[in-house]
Amino acid sequence: MAQRQFQTEVSQLLHLIIHSLYSNREIFLRELISNSSDALDKLKYLSVADDAYKSISFDPRIDIAFNKDAKTLTIKDNGIGMNEADLAESLGTIARSGTKAFLEKLGADAKKDSNLIGQFGVGFYSAFMAAERIEVTSRKAGEEATWKWSSEGKDSYDIEKLEGEGARGEQGTEVLLHLTEEGTEYANRWSIEDIVKRYSNHVAFPIYLTYDEKEYDDKGKEKSSKTKTDRINSGRAIWRRSKSELKEEDYTEFYKQLGHDTEAPLHYVHTRAEGTLEYSTLFYVPAKAPFDMYNVDYKSGVKLYVKRVFITDDDKELMPSYLRFVRGVIDSEDLPLNVSREILQQNKILLNIKNASVKKLLGEFKTLADNASGSGENREKWETFVREFNRPLKEGLYQDYGNRDALQELVRFKSTAVEGWTSFADYITRMKADQKNIYYITGGDEKTLRASPLLEAYKAGDIEVLIMDDEIDDIVIPSLHSYRKELPGTDGKMETKSWDLKAVNRSGADEELGEKRDKQAEKEAKPVIEKIKKALGERVKDVKLSRRLHDSPSCIVADENDPSIQMAQMLKAMGQTDMPDTKPILEINGEHPIVAALKDTVDENRIADVAGVLLDQALLVEGIKLKDPADFVQRLNRLLSS
């Protein structure tokens, strides 16, 4: 027997599970059944697609048994099984990303809710909420050796090779739980049946429960006992059933089993297509964004079946990346059973199913938005959807040109004109009659953006500006160029109208703030502009008289052909360190006392201090970090002392 140490994160996780998680303890059984179902899925696929496994006798099933006196609970399957390396990798480490995030959230959360377990994909370890010791005996399909993994959920685990009576006669895995005192509440027929029917009723394989049925005489005394084994789940593929025979509870139960979640889904879409292509899909939108949604190595949430045979749940080609939050099932009648991952990426049948599914989902999201007017459940549902998934949908604007028009109707933004979220479509209904463009401002913080001096003239002119405080906005929105929408024309016929998207923090976005520049004002300001430009030198691309400023002395904008400073900083943080520095254009308010005072100043040191402070404060108010804060402080102190 070889004793091994748990991975550090596993030790931390087990400590938290055993000592901190008490609510909804029963989900451990759902997690173990889901693991058994996955093992059966994998062997079922291999027994059809791989010649090496076709000779294996395989009648898939999951068996549950308990012994109340011995305080044990057993979950057994005849699936793919595990060898020594599999046991060490699957039960000695947590290979999936997000473990550290899970531990941080769990440690900081005062409620310590076990709902987090399912969200972070560490379901096996949830069994330690009910067990003081766990033994896993497994034999991998196609191999002779049987291995046993055991642990008390502390710092270490043991793995040993079993010989003789202890060895399994067939492939598969048996999980034996030695229950804690509190865990014995699950060592009875009624608790197990209730949990299975609530969480795992739609598992595609039969689940059997073995128990002792006792008979009593009329005085309540036990007169006989016999061992029985009953099937306790329906086992029908829910996505193959007619929508008319399913209830809301059926969809919710299947989602919880599929998505390893304890919350009901926010929304679901069930489709059966017949004709040139035959397939079934059942998609869910979670109530909360998956924990790994912004990880590069996120786990796909969609499973692919062919004629009800599981093929893969790890293919990111099944859904575009901007819909990676979707959970569900695709079941095709037309794909070959021996389809490989490489073939999947180029398969026209799957591509057609994928395209149709994306359009169906986007249509459902549009219906959610359309039903959200007023107050009530529909509005709350839509606001939850926007809060959780607005950002990945924006990625779709950049990635999915074919569905860009549909996505433009779904994405939402904050605004200077209304509370809460608004859309491009809502914006154009509030536009001034002579307004030609849709205006927006990008940056990293909503509060900072709302206080930006760049908005002063737009507010004074009653021009709405969309607040885009998401990092991705700086990349996505410029790629759109314009917003298009079909509207009734003057003759009543529908016609496509278009509005350019203009960033107020770019040099060309002030056209509608005045028909023409005040030539006299420009002439008077020229000497001051030249002084500031000379003082700042290479720090700026240009210095101009502003039409945007009313109260503030200065602001910065980016040249129309340059990336914004925020975007340049983001690209550098992503590793593009060879990018040249982006130089801002400094705009000044010629009527502001600070600027006007420079008109008669000849002291070059004072001009340099004022010019430096005008630029640095303009950078600060846009939330941009100064390269030399000490220089700014020294200049400010000199000006204050004078």
Side-chain angles (χ1 to χ4, degrees), residues 55-317:
S55 61
I56 293 176
S57 176
F58 182 49
D59 180 20
R61 62 184 286 159
I62 299 170
D63 284 277
I64 302 174
F66 63 91
N67 185 323
K68 193 158 189 174
D69 295 331
K71 298 196 292 186
T72 61
L73 178 65
T74 306
I75 299 91
K76 181 170 64 173
D77 67 73
N78 58 343
I80 188 67
M82 293 178 282
N83 56 24
E84 181 183 17
D86 295 329
L87 286 167
E89 181 180 353
S90 299
L91 306 186
T93 65
I94 302 178
R96 285 187 53 185
S97 61
T99 308
K100 288 184 179 178
F102 169 79
L103 292 168
E104 287 169 5
K105 187 166 184 179
L106 195 58
D109 187 355
K111 190 177 178 183
K112 302 290 191 292
D113 197 336
S114 60
N115 292 350
L116 292 171
I117 288 177
Q119 293 177 32
F120 283 82
V122 288
F124 170 79
Y125 303 104
S126 65
F128 281 103
M129 289 194 293
E132 59 188 11
R133 179 176 175 81
I134 299 177
E135 298 173 9
V136 180
T137 305
S138 192
R139 175 186 163 197
K140 192 163 188 175
E143 299 183 12
E144 296 297 323
T146 298
W147 297 90
K148 180 180 177 181
W149 178 100
S150 57
S151 177
E152 294 180 355
K154 295 178 181 176
D155 298 323
S156 61
Y157 60 94
D158 297 316
I159 294 182
E160 62 179 311
K161 187 176 180 179
L162 298 183
E163 309 283 355
E165 292 184 6
R168 286 181 63 93
E170 63 174 351
Q171 81 285 337
T173 300
E174 177 182 299
V175 180
L176 174 62
L177 308 182
H178 295 273
L179 300 170
T180 62
E181 199 61 44
E182 294 84 358
T184 55
E185 65 177 294
Y186 304 109
N188 68 81
R189 173 188 175 187
W190 313 113
S191 293
I192 294 170
E193 283 191 0
D194 177 61
I195 294 169
V196 169
K197 288 188 183 301
R198 274 193 290 132
Y199 295 122
S200 308
N201 199 38
H202 298 291
V203 168
F205 304 103
I207 302 173
Y208 293 95
L209 175 63
T210 299
Y211 61 95
D212 291 332
E213 186 177 64
K214 299 177 181 180
E215 290 188 16
Y216 299 89
D217 58 24
D218 54 2
K219 296 181 179 179
K221 188 175 181 180
E222 181 181 327
K223 64 178 183 178
S224 65
S225 176
K226 60 180 179 178
T227 301
K228 292 188 68 176
T229 300
D230 292 335
R231 180 170 177 171
I232 56 175
N233 72 318
S234 67
R236 286 186 63 189
I238 184 174
W239 61 88
R240 291 273 185 151
R241 295 168 63 184
S242 167
K243 286 187 277 188
S244 61
E245 64 178 275
L246 292 168
K247 299 177 181 178
E248 192 84 14
E249 294 79 11
D250 297 317
Y251 286 110
T252 298
E253 286 172 11
F254 178 69
Y255 166 74
K256 289 179 177 179
Q257 179 262 321
L258 174 79
H260 297 273
D261 202 344
T262 51
E263 290 189 42
L266 186 69
H267 191 67
Y268 62 85
V269 185
H270 188 184
T271 303
R272 172 72 180 169
E274 296 178 337
T276 307
L277 290 177
E278 288 191 33
Y279 62 89
S280 300
T281 60
L282 176 54
F283 298 122
Y284 292 93
V285 177
K288 291 182 180 177
F291 79 96
D292 62 348
M293 189 164 70
Y294 296 113
N295 289 4
V296 175
D297 58 343
Y298 70 88
K299 183 173 175 59
S300 170
V302 177
K303 294 187 175 186
L304 176 66
Y305 288 77
V306 174
K307 299 180 180 69
R308 281 171 288 183
V309 175
F310 171 76
I311 303 299
T312 181
D313 61 355
D314 191 27
D315 192 333
K316 295 178 182 178
E317 297 299 316

Side-chain angles (χ1 to χ4, degrees), residues 430-622:
R430 297 188 292 266
M431 284 173 58
K432 299 172 71 173
D434 58 345
Q435 189 175 329
K436 301 172 184 175
N437 305 311
I438 294 175
Y439 293 98
Y440 66 92
I441 183 170
T442 58
D445 175 71
E446 180 185 350
K447 185 177 179 181
T448 300
L449 292 177
R450 289 189 181 278
S452 172
L454 291 166
L455 301 182
E456 290 175 0
Y458 296 92
K459 291 176 181 177
D462 197 26
I463 296 175
E464 180 177 359
V465 179
L466 296 176
I467 306 293
M468 301 191 181
D469 59 343
D470 201 325
E471 289 178 343
I472 197 173
D473 294 326
D474 242 332
I475 299 173
V476 170
I477 305 304
S479 72
L480 291 181
H481 302 298
S482 63
Y483 169 66
R484 297 177 303 160
K485 188 174 180 63
E486 275 200 346
L487 294 171
T490 53
D491 57 358
K493 294 181 180 179
M494 299 300 289
E495 59 183 45
T496 301
K497 296 186 178 181
S498 179
W499 297 266
D500 287 342
L501 299 171
K502 294 278 190 179
V504 303
N505 46 358
R506 291 197 174 272
S507 59
D510 57 354
E511 296 167 358
E512 291 191 87
L513 297 178
E515 289 299 318
K516 59 183 180 180
R517 293 187 181 274
D518 187 332
K519 298 295 184 183
Q520 183 61 31
E522 286 190 341
K523 184 178 179 181
E524 292 176 0
K526 188 174 181 180
V528 176
I529 289 174
E530 292 299 328
K531 290 177 182 179
I532 296 174
K533 191 182 296 187
K534 180 182 177 182
L536 293 175
E538 294 298 313
R539 290 189 65 191
V540 294
K541 190 166 190 175
D542 200 0
V543 179
K544 294 180 178 180
L545 185 66
S546 181
R547 289 192 292 188
R548 313 165 202 262
L549 298 172
H550 277 211
D551 303 316
S552 301
S554 62
C555 67
I556 56 162
V557 294
D559 187 276
E560 288 184 284
N561 300 314
D562 290 343
S564 67
I565 295 178
Q566 291 93 338
M567 184 176 180
Q569 289 178 338
M570 182 173 62
L571 292 173
K572 284 185 178 181
M574 292 167 62
Q576 297 190 30
T577 53
D578 57 342
M579 279 194 63
D581 287 339
T582 301
K583 295 178 182 178
I585 295 172
L586 179 67
E587 291 193 357
I588 60 168
N589 180 355
E591 297 178 0
H592 196 280
I594 293 175
V595 176
L598 291 179
K599 185 176 180 180
D600 300 320
T601 302
V602 293
D603 184 343
E604 291 189 356
N605 289 330
R606 182 171 179 79
I607 293 170
D609 286 343
V610 172
V613 170
L614 286 174
L615 176 59
D616 286 344
Q617 72 172 15
L619 291 167
L620 285 171
V621 82
E622 297 302 326

Side-chain angles (χ1 to χ4, degrees), residues 375-427:
S375 58
E377 185 177 337
N378 289 336
R379 184 176 182 82
E380 289 178 13
K381 190 175 186 179
W382 172 246
E383 288 180 349
T384 299
F385 179 84
V386 172
R387 183 175 63 251
E388 299 292 329
F389 308 115
N390 195 39
R391 182 174 179 179
L393 289 181
K394 289 180 184 177
E395 294 174 26
L397 291 171
Y398 190 80
Q399 299 170 0
D400 189 353
Y401 187 82
N403 289 303
R404 180 175 282 185
D405 287 347
L407 286 162
Q408 282 190 49
E409 300 301 322
L410 293 173
V411 293
R412 294 295 187 265
F413 310 96
K414 300 293 179 62
S415 167
T416 58
V418 293
E419 293 290 330
W421 299 99
T422 192
S423 64
F424 287 134
D426 291 335
Y427 181 102

